[in-house]
Amino acid sequence: PALPRIPIDPKVFFLNHRTPTPNQAAAAIRAMHDDVWRLAMRVIAATGARIGEVVHLRSVDLDVASRRLALGASEHASKTGMRWFPLDAATLRLLAGREGRDNAPLLDFGGVTSPIQGLQRRLRTACAAAGVPRFTPHGLRRMVICRLMRARVDPATAASLTGHSIDVMLKHYRDVTDDDRRGAADR
């Protein structure tokens, strides 16, 4: 029997697979209310963590002494297992005081049953308020991977930070721009 044809709306597909520039991401995050939802989005933008990894973070996942965050450490929080992500000073300051409560949530979303959908909804609203093209939290993950590659971070190191193999990271997450091609030709 013939399989049914499923139409794919290119506008929806593009929106779900759009990688924001760092300036667009910053503008959208600034447009969010200064609360735990904004903090969650900042953690995603700083680490490239999956949205599910961020909403499942526990207090014990933040190690202030070593300035690291355990991503994917809680059960069902990651597809690829736990990894440590070194935090920059600004992100560490934002998270300070949330550690030391064992398995308590690092980010308390106030009993919201679906914080992933809540984050997606708030980001969509923030993109509109900031006047930037819409992107998803997963777009922030791609943005971080692209920034790592443009900063010439060793691919094996970048892959270990993102929880992917080098092949998957480069094939599915790296957006090559005309500027990238131009820079490569110049080098």
Side-chain angles (χ1 to χ4, degrees):
L3 294 175
R5 290 186 165 244
I6 301 172
I8 297 175
D9 184 348
K11 292 179 184 176
V12 173
F13 182 81
F14 180 78
L15 290 174
N16 288 336
H17 290 78
R18 188 174 180 293
T19 304
T21 66
N23 288 338
Q24 291 168 338
I29 292 170
R30 277 192 309 270
M32 295 177 81
H33 294 291
D34 191 11
D35 57 14
V36 70
W37 301 93
R38 180 184 190 182
L39 179 56
M41 207 57 67
R42 288 189 67 163
V43 169
I44 293 170
T47 64
R50 294 174 182 92
I51 190 171
E53 292 172 333
V54 171
V55 301
H56 289 100
L57 283 170
R58 301 161 303 166
S59 180
V60 71
D61 296 333
L62 176 60
D63 185 347
V64 175
S66 67
R67 300 176 41 179
R68 300 182 309 171
L69 188 61
L71 297 173
S74 62
E75 190 176 353
H76 308 299
S78 178
K79 297 190 303 187
T80 57
M82 196 277 288
R83 66 193 180 284
W84 285 103
F85 197 100
L87 294 174
D88 61 280
T91 305
L92 188 61
R93 272 192 308 275
L94 291 170
L95 294 172
R98 295 174 178 270
E99 75 281 358
R101 297 176 289 132
D102 296 322
N103 283 324
L106 185 69
L107 304 171
D108 185 357
F109 296 101
V112 172
T113 57
S114 181
I116 290 175
Q117 289 178 348
L119 278 168
Q120 292 169 333
R121 202 171 31 255
R122 283 168 175 80
L123 181 58
R124 185 172 45 246
T125 301
C127 286
V132 299
R134 194 170 117 204
F135 58 90
T136 65
H138 204 70
L140 293 173
R141 180 170 170 74
R142 287 189 301 275
M143 178 193 74
V144 169
I145 291 170
C146 290
R147 290 185 75 193
L148 289 169
M149 293 292 90
R150 288 187 184 111
R152 297 185 182 160
V153 171
D154 170 61
T157 301
S160 73
L161 290 171
T162 60
H164 281 296
S165 68
I166 296 171
D167 291 342
V168 168
M169 181 187 69
L170 294 175
K171 183 178 179 182
H172 297 287
Y173 288 90
R174 175 68 164 102
D175 289 336
V176 179
T177 66
D178 285 339
D179 288 341
D180 294 328
R181 289 183 199 82
R182 199 168 286 114
D186 290 346
R187 283 190 289 281

